[in-house]
Structures are given as structure tokens and as C-alpha cells.
């Protein structure tokens, strides 16, 4: 078991930089999730850790040792691929035994270790089968078994759940978390799915355009995003954004946008007047009867059972989305007033997208 | 209902007619090979030999070399059979080994540059006769004329483009992630080849080998130009019947034709499993 450290890791393909100066310290035993939209450089980062791609600049350290120039086979890492990469011409047993046989493990030990691992990930009955005959979940567990059996220094996973259907994906999420708890190994997990990142990570690393945007525990990243991109990436439905401007209003700071004006408990000097974007999560939008807040018309309802998503047309360019109690008496076309939870408002610079007024 | 029956009838009739068109020459060759000289040319034609005989086979298969005596040519096929088998097998083996290595290194490492497979293909765009004469000139000074080595070398050169292009299709069907997975698990590049790439492309290798083997087995022009008396392949032997000056030796010629076809057909049946997989390329494999 070992921690992983990335120092200024950069990968350029011609003129474009897929990964640009990524530095990250992953302590031994941590479950880190690299998350971001496709093409953000997360898989390239993982491949550089594995040694499958050579960095243009920067270094990779595993267990304190510099491995930048080592071949993948010398790094002793376990990797699960998006396609799972089970060898179609080998039985499940031979697939799991593959890394052991390469290291010339004695046959008796190979058998014992393969059977032990197969037992833990519940594929013991499949050992004689071919990968093509396995279900998605079974193939998934075989791929895990093949990685666990070699007792790697750390686990790398590249969107391993993306080929599964939604229900199985949720199950495997739990199973992976249990596995991590049992193995106490370092996990570096790549996904574009914010729900996977939120549910599994000890720490989330949000990437965009090859650059790390934010690193932190899931709830911290969710509640306290550093910029417009990170704020919008997490949460279903996503955060509401209202384009407007911050300006002084009788000595205090005020946010003004079409249909919405909010006077803040901040002195006007807190920031200079500028274009700004207000961000507020759907669960922080409240519906009200009577007075206060701003008027809106209910444009659309999405009942989910445990909550109902309400689209409010308030006169701005897009709707405001609110999460409300499923018992709330509400119908499309209703005229309601809405307001925001004061302490939960986020403001972003209209040009740079950086968070302001933290 | 009646209409559908009619459509089926017409379709089957057309297919049967086409099968007949393609198979009748082959049948006629086999038929003639079992006939006495008196039956070779008759009207009406004999669809089955009236007195089947093996004398044509006996004549061409007796040991010894082709002789030309008293204006009558006696053709022997054992030596040409061996020459063809040896040159076609050796050249196909080397071409497949070399060509798949080239295809792999191009597919995975871009060896030779982006246009490499296309530039290799230009060899095939020349009519063989264009290279035959320069080869003859080189071969004279290199003492490769009329030798196994000479013929095998030129066959390797002409088969390589086919091998590279066929094997490219098979190699690109092997997902890169399989190779990456093996490498992360501790496999060397060589081990990746032997444990992952080779087993997954074996059908392709077999199909490519057979394709190139048949190509070289039936090659006439280069063999005719670059060999003389020491090396003489089956197509050259068949070609020699053109110079028979006393009548036409249809019977022995048909027997040699049958013998020439046999190894290819036998090989095809032996490796049918791989051929079906191989010639369907990527279609059936996912």
C-alpha cells in the first residue's frame, strides 16, 4: 500500500494541453475521485499514474519513490478499465490468475489466491466461464478480483461502472466503498458522474480543461464551490444561476437582475461594482404564499416521489428550479412567490466565474 | 402464397445455374483426369468416364523429371509439386511473420509514418511484369536465378502488402485496453504479444497465411521469368503443355490440375473454423 503524489504533471498533445500542471498529494489509503466533463484530462492523468502515457513535464511518485520513467509493469498498481478489459480468450480463472502467473507465482499459490479472491468478490462459481458469458455485474466483479489478487500498491479505476445499468451502478458503488474500507488501500477513481464522485470519495478533485479546479471532501465542494464551473457541476437538478450585477444601494451591497433584487447584509465597499452571477441550489429556493420574495408562475412540475421539482417562470431568461415537499399543493399555472435562503447565496464574478463575497 | 413459391423457385433456379457455371469447369477437369485418351475429345461429351482410369495420375506421378522424347512430352509432377509446396509455404510463413510484425508496430507505434501502409500498397499497383524483368537482371548477378531462395524472396516481397493490410484489420480489432491491462498487471511488451495479441489474432493469421499461400501457389509470371530447370512450380508445369507438339495431352493436364487444386481445398477444410472467423473480419467478432 502506498500514497501517490503528482508534481506539476503535464501532458501536451501537439499544441493543446490535455493535462496542465496537476499537483496532488494522495495519502495512503485515501479514496480520491477525479471528476470532470469528458475531455477534462482526468483519464490522461490516470494513465500517467499507471505509466501508460508518458508525461510531457512533471513527476509521479508512488510511496515516495519517483516512478515517472518506470514501465507500467514495474509500478505495481492495479487498474480497472472502462471496458473492464477482461481477456476474451481466457476463462475467468485464467483472467484472475494472469497477473500472478506473470510474476511466476507457484501454481498451488495461484490456485489458492485466485479462489480466495473469487470468494470475497462473489465470483467463485464463475471461475470456469468465459468473460463473454458473464453479466455486466459479474464481469465487473471479475475485473475487480483480477486487480485485487495482485495486491497492488494502489488501485486506479477509469470509469469502471459506466457500462452498467443505473440500478447495478448504484449497487456497485456501495460494493466498491465496502471494498475500500476492507482493503484500506489507496483508490484513484475517475468518473464524469458527479453522483459517483459525491457518494464514494474521501476527497473529490474537480478538473476542467486539464486543470484542477478544486480539491476537497464531497460536502465541502458541494457547499463551498470555488467557481461557477464547480458550482454547476454538482447537484441534481443543477444550481440555479441568475445573471445580474452587484452595485451599491444606499450604503449596502445589492444584487440586481431581471425580476430579482436582493439587498445584502454587506457594506457597499465589500466588492467593486461589477457583473455577477447569483448561484442558488434548488433546495434553497422556498415557495411562499402571500407577500415577500418575487412573483412567479409554475411552468412545469417533476414529481419524483420523495420530492417535487418545480420550474418557476419569474421573468428572467431561464426558469428558477426549486425542490419542494411532495405534499405541497401545487399545479402548473399557479401564481406563487418564491425566495432564497439568505445564508446559502453564492456570487460569482460575471467575467472570470470566480467566487466572490465568500 | 403461390407468388412466394414462385419467387423462391426463380431464386433457387438462378443460384443453381450460377453454381453450375462455376463448378462445371472444375467437374470437367476431374472428369477428364479419369478418362482414357480416346474419351478426352468426344461428341456428344461423356459426362462420366465410360472406362475410368488412373493412368493419367500414374503417368504424372511417377518419379523422374519431365522428358521430351521423339517429339512426345511426358510430364512429371512430383518435383514441381514439391517446389510449389516449398516455395509457397516458406514465402507465406515468412511474409505472415514479417507482415504482422510490421502491421502491429504501425498500428501501435506508428512505425514508418502515417502513410506507410499506403506506400507499401503501391508495390501491388505495378503489373508484376514490370518488376519481373529488373528482378531477372539482379538475380543473374546475385546468382539467385533458378533457386528456391530467389523465388521465395520475390514472393515475400509481393505478398507483404496483402499481409500488412489484412493483419491491420485484425490487430485493430484487439482493444488497446486489453494490452494496457496486461502491461499494468506486469506483462512485458513481448508477453503482451504472446499472451494477448497473438491468441486474439490467430484466426486472422491463419486466414492471411492461406490467402498468401494460394496466391503464391498459383503464381505463374514471376516463376516463369525467374526459374529455369532447377526450380519448376506447378503453374509452370501446366503451362508447358502449350508446347506439346503432338496432339493435346488433356488427360495428364487435367490430372495435374486436380493435383494442384487438392492441397488448397484440403487446407481450406482443415482450417475451416479459422477461415469463417478470419474472413468475416470484424463483423462477427463483437
Amino acid at each position: 500500500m502506498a500514497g501517490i503524489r503528482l508534481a506539476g504533471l503535464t501532458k501536451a498533445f501537439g499544441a493543446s494541453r490535455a493535462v496542465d500542471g496537476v499537483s496532488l498529494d494522495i495519502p495512503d489509503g485515501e479514496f480520491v475521485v477525479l471528476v470532470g466533463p469528458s475531455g477534462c484530462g482526468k483519464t490522461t492523468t490516470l494513465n500517467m499514474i499507471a505509466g501508460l502515457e508518458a508525461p510531457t513535464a512533471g513527476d509521479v511518485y508512488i510511496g515516495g519513490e519517483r516512478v515517472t520513467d518506470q514501465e507500467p509493469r514495474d509500478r505495481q498498481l492495479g487498474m480497472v478499465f472502462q471496458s473492464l478489459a477482461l481477456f476474451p480468450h481466457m476463462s475467468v480463472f485464467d483472467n484472475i490468475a494472469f497477473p500472478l502467473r506473470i510474476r511466476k507465482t507457484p501454481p498451488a499459490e495461484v490456485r489458492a489466491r485466485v479462489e480466495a479472491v473469487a470468494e470475497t468478490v462473489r465470483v467463485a462459481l464463475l471461475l470456469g466461464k468465459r468473460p463473454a458469458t458473464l453479466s455486466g455485474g459479474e464481469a465487473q466483479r471479475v475485473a475487480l478480483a483480477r486487480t485485487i489478487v495482485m495486491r497492488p500498491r494502489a488501485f486506479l479505476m477509469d470509469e469502471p461502472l459506466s457500462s452498467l445499468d443505473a440500478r447495478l451502478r448504484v449497487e456497485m458503488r456501495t460494493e466498491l466503498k465496502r471494498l475500500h474500507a476492507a482493503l484500506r488501500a489507496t483508490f484513484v477513481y475517475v468518473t464524469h458522474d458527479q453522483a459517483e464522485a459525491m457518494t464514494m470519495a474521501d476527497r473529490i478533485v474537480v478538473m476542467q480543461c486539464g486543470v484542477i479546479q478544486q480539491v476537497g471532501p464531497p460536502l465541502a465542494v458541494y457547499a463551498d464551490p470555488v467557481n461557477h464551473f464547480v458550482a454547476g457541476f454538482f447537484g441534481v437538478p443543477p444550481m440555479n444561476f441568475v445573471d445580474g450585477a452587484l452595485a451599491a444601494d444606499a450604503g449596502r451591497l445589492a444584487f440586481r437582475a431581471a425580476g430579482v433584487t436582493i439587498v445584502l447584509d454587506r457594506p457597499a465597499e465589500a466588492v467593486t461594482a461589477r457583473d455577477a452571477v447569483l448561484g442558488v441550489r434548488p433546495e434553497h429556493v422556498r415557495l411562499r404564499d402571500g407577500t415577500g420574495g418575487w412573483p412567479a408562475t409554475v411552468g412545469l412540475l417533476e414529481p419524483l416521489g420523495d420530492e417535487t421539482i418545480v420550474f418557476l417562470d419569474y421573468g428572467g431568461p431561464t426558469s428558477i428550479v426549486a425542490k419542494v415537499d411532495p405534499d405541497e399543493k401545487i399545479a402548473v399555472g399557479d401564481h406563487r412567490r418564491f425566495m432564497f435562503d439568505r445564508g446559502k447565496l453564492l456570487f460569482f464574478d460575471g467575467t472570470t466565474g470566480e467566487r466572490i463575497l465568500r | 402464397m403461390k407468388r412466394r413459391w414462385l419467387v423462391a423457385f426463380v431464386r433457387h433456379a438462378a443460384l443453381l445455374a450460377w453454381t453450375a457455371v462455376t463448378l462445371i469447369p472444375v467437374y470437367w477437369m476431374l472428369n477428364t483426369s479419369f478418362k482414357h485418351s480416346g474419351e478426352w475429345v468426344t461428341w456428344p461429351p461423356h459426362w462420366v468416364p465410360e472406362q475410368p482410369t488412373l493412368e493419367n495420375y500414374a503417368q504424372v506421378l511417377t518419379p523422374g523429371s519431365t522428358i521430351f522424347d521423339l517429339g512426345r512430352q511426358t510430364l512429371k509432377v512430383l518435383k514441381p509439386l514439391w517446389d510449389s509446396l516449398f516455395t509457397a509455404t516458406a514465402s507465406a510463413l515468412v511474409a505472415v511473420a514479417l507482415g504482422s510484425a510490421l502491421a502491429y508496430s504501425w498500428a501501435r507505434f506508428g512505425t514508418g509514418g502515417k502513410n506507410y501502409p499506403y506506400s507499401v500498397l503501391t508495390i501491388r499497383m505495378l503489373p508484376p511484369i514490370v518488376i519481373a524483368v529488373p528482378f531477372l537482371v539482379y538475380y543473374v548477378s546475385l546468382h539467385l536465378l533458378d533457386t528456391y531462395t530467389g523465388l521465395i524472396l520475390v514472393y515475400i516481397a509481393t505478398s507483404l502488402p496483402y499481409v500488412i493490410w489484412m493483419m491491420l484489420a485484425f490487430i485493430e480489432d484487439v482493444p488497446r485496453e486489453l494490452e494496457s491491462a496486461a502491461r499494468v498487471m506486469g506483462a512485458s511488451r513481448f508477453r503482451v504479444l504472446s499472451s494477448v495479441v497473438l491468441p486474439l489474432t490467430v484466426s486472422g493469421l491463419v486466414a492471411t497465411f492461406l490467402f498468401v499461400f494460394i496466391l503464391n501457389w498459383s503464381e505463374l509470371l514471376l516463376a516463369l521469368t525467374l526459374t529455369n530447370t532447377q526450380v519448376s512450380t506447378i503453374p509452370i508445369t501446366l503451362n508447358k503443355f502449350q508446347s506439346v507438339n503432338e496432339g493435346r495431352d488433356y488427360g495428364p493436364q487435367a490430372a495435374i490440375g486436380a493435383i494442384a487444386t487438392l492441397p488448397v481445398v484440403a487446407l481450406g477444410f482443415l482450417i475451416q473454423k479459422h477461415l469463417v472467423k478470419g474472413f468475416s473480419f470484424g463483423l462477427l467478432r463483437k
Side-chain angles (χ1 to χ4, degrees):
Chain A
M1 305 293 164
I4 294 172
R5 189 162 70 82
L6 311 179
L9 209 55
T10 299
K11 178 74 184 181
F13 293 107
S16 70
R17 285 171 175 240
V19 176
D20 198 353
V22 165
S23 293
L24 186 65
D25 207 341
I26 306 167
D28 188 8
E30 190 176 46
F31 197 136
V32 162
V33 176
L34 305 184
V35 67
S38 54
C40 74
K42 54 196 193 299
T43 295
T44 309
T45 304
L46 199 72
N47 284 342
M48 285 193 283
I49 299 175
L52 294 170
E53 280 185 69
T56 313
D59 281 304
V60 179
Y61 297 85
I62 300 172
E65 177 199 1
R66 182 176 172 277
V67 298
T68 318
D69 306 317
Q70 278 184 5
E71 279 288 301
R73 63 187 172 126
D74 298 323
R75 301 193 184 195
Q76 294 168 25
L77 298 171
M79 188 159 176
V80 180
F81 291 82
Q82 185 163 14
S83 67
L84 303 180
L86 296 178
F87 302 125
H89 57 296
M90 296 181 195
S91 69
V92 167
F93 183 96
D94 290 336
N95 262 284
I96 302 177
F98 187 82
L100 300 178
R101 286 180 177 151
I102 280 179
R103 291 187 173 73
K104 303 202 163 44
T105 315
E109 192 192 332
V110 170
R111 177 152 290 278
R113 277 171 72 176
V114 170
E115 280 169 358
V117 168
E119 203 65 53
T120 42
V121 297
R122 293 183 285 119
V123 294
L125 296 175
L126 309 172
L127 287 176
K129 287 194 170 188
R130 289 277 173 145
T133 64
L134 302 178
S135 71
E138 289 168 347
Q140 186 70 55
R141 289 203 294 271
V142 171
L144 278 174
R146 191 175 65 174
T147 317
I148 298 166
V149 80
M150 58 191 277
R151 296 175 188 154
R153 295 201 283 177
F155 288 81
L156 311 179
M157 304 198 179
D158 185 7
E159 310 231 8
L161 306 186
S162 58
S163 56
L164 303 180
D165 61 59
R167 191 197 165 103
L168 205 53
R169 198 151 55 213
V170 174
E171 274 176 41
M172 283 306 296
R173 239 154 57 181
T174 322
E175 217 161 307
L176 276 176
K177 244 184 135 167
R178 285 215 184 92
L179 185 71
H180 177 249
L183 294 170
R184 309 201 145 276
T186 313
F187 275 47
V188 184
Y189 187 103
V190 161
T191 182
H192 66 269
D193 180 347
Q194 54 96 24
E196 273 178 31
M198 291 291 292
T199 49
M200 290 194 289
D202 291 332
R203 268 198 312 161
I204 288 178
V205 177
V206 191
M207 291 184 73
Q208 191 201 15
C209 302
V211 178
I212 292 183
Q213 304 290 317
Q214 187 169 4
V215 181
L219 290 179
V221 172
Y222 185 82
D224 202 10
V226 295
N227 58 31
H228 186 287
F229 170 77
V230 176
F233 192 80
F234 293 93
V236 179
M239 186 180 273
N240 294 295
F241 291 112
V242 182
D243 289 335
L246 283 168
D249 185 323
R252 291 206 294 171
L253 200 59
F255 175 80
R256 285 177 212 287
V260 174
T261 300
I262 305 168
V263 179
L264 302 168
D265 280 339
R266 296 269 196 141
E269 303 80 54
V271 291
T272 49
R274 66 177 88 180
D275 287 343
V277 179
L278 163 70
V280 60
R281 295 212 178 272
E283 60 266 36
H284 300 136
V285 181
R286 307 276 165 222
L287 293 185
R288 321 192 104 213
D289 304 309
T291 58
W294 307 279
T297 313
V298 175
L300 200 65
L301 288 175
E302 289 179 351
L304 294 172
D306 58 339
E307 63 194 13
T308 297
I309 311 294
V310 184
F311 289 73
L312 299 162
D313 299 330
Y314 70 103
T318 55
S319 306
I320 292 281
V321 179
K323 268 184 195 173
V324 302
D325 193 276
D327 297 331
E328 177 91 27
K329 294 270 174 292
I330 193 164
V332 172
D334 281 3
H335 294 287
R336 300 292 286 265
R337 298 183 78 81
F338 70 98
M339 42 185 322
F340 303 137
D341 289 351
R342 269 303 167 108
K344 304 292 188 180
L345 300 181
L346 306 176
F347 292 94
F348 304 96
D349 188 289
T351 339
T352 64
E354 291 306 307
R355 178 92 171 274
I356 45 181
L357 283 174
R358 300 188 72 153
Chain B
M1 200 64 202
K2 204 162 189 179
R3 223 188 115 87
R4 195 186 293 173
W5 183 86
L6 193 74
V7 170
F9 178 80
V10 171
R11 182 184 299 155
H12 281 89
L15 286 172
L16 272 173
W18 182 246
T19 311
V21 167
T22 53
L23 283 185
I24 279 176
V26 179
Y27 173 74
W28 203 252
M29 175 183 75
L30 286 172
N31 186 25
T32 309
S33 75
F34 292 110
K35 284 177 178 172
H36 287 291
S37 54
E39 277 190 89
W40 293 347
V41 190
T42 53
W43 193 261
H46 292 179
W47 285 93
V48 282
E50 277 178 357
Q51 291 168 298
T53 174
L54 290 172
E55 70 179 18
N56 297 320
Y57 287 94
Q59 185 200 320
V60 298
L61 284 172
T62 36
S65 50
T66 300
I67 46 166
F68 192 72
D69 192 24
L70 298 172
R72 167 127 191 130
Q73 198 178 23
T74 318
L75 287 156
K76 307 287 188 189
V77 85
L78 281 180
K79 172 74 165 52
L81 200 59
W82 164 251
D83 285 1
S84 273
L85 206 60
F86 181 65
T87 50
T89 309
S91 56
L93 276 177
V94 177
V96 167
L98 220 57
S100 1
L102 283 168
Y104 182 78
S105 70
W106 185 79
R108 290 299 188 250
F109 309 108
T111 314
K114 215 169 75 183
N115 291 320
Y116 180 68
Y118 303 94
S119 32
V120 162
L121 203 61
T122 53
I123 299 178
R124 292 306 320 181
M125 291 172 185
L126 304 171
I129 190 71
V130 172
I131 59 165
V133 177
F135 259 107
L136 179 67
V137 178
Y138 284 134
Y139 273 26
V140 171
S141 18
L142 292 170
H143 300 288
L144 284 172
L145 204 64
D146 205 13
T147 63
Y148 288 125
T149 322
L151 200 56
I152 290 170
L153 278 178
V154 73
Y155 281 168
I156 292 170
T158 52
S159 330
L160 266 182
Y162 288 115
V163 177
I164 290 174
W165 274 89
M166 283 185 76
M167 285 314 295
L168 266 181
F170 292 110
I171 287 165
E172 274 163 6
D173 265 359
V174 178
R176 274 164 197 248
E177 283 199 345
L178 289 185
E179 291 181 54
S180 298
R183 290 177 64 205
V184 173
M185 283 187 281
S188 61
R189 286 278 188 189
F190 188 77
R191 183 70 189 258
V192 172
L193 272 183
S194 65
S195 295
V196 180
V197 181
L198 211 60
L200 290 175
T201 49
V202 69
S203 291
L205 287 167
V206 171
T208 308
F209 172 84
L210 191 74
F211 183 77
V212 172
F213 176 87
I214 293 172
L215 215 63
N216 295 340
W217 175 263
S218 52
E219 200 284 329
L220 172 67
L221 185 72
L222 290 167
L224 203 59
T225 319
L226 301 174
T227 64
N228 191 8
T229 51
Q230 298 301 307
V231 178
S232 163
T233 60
I234 290 264
I236 296 180
T237 311
L238 275 170
N239 186 54
K240 280 181 180 155
F241 278 82
Q242 303 294 334
S243 61
V244 170
N245 47 10
E246 188 190 289
R248 291 269 178 199
D249 258 350
Y250 290 127
Q253 192 176 17
I256 297 180
I259 292 167
T261 318
L262 207 67
V264 178
V265 175
L267 211 59
F269 273 112
L270 274 176
I271 53 182
Q272 206 170 19
K273 187 186 85 181
H274 289 297
L275 281 186
V276 172
K277 249 169 131 185
F279 282 124
S280 61
F281 287 84
L283 289 178
L284 293 175
R285 281 149 46 91
K286 293 233 170 89

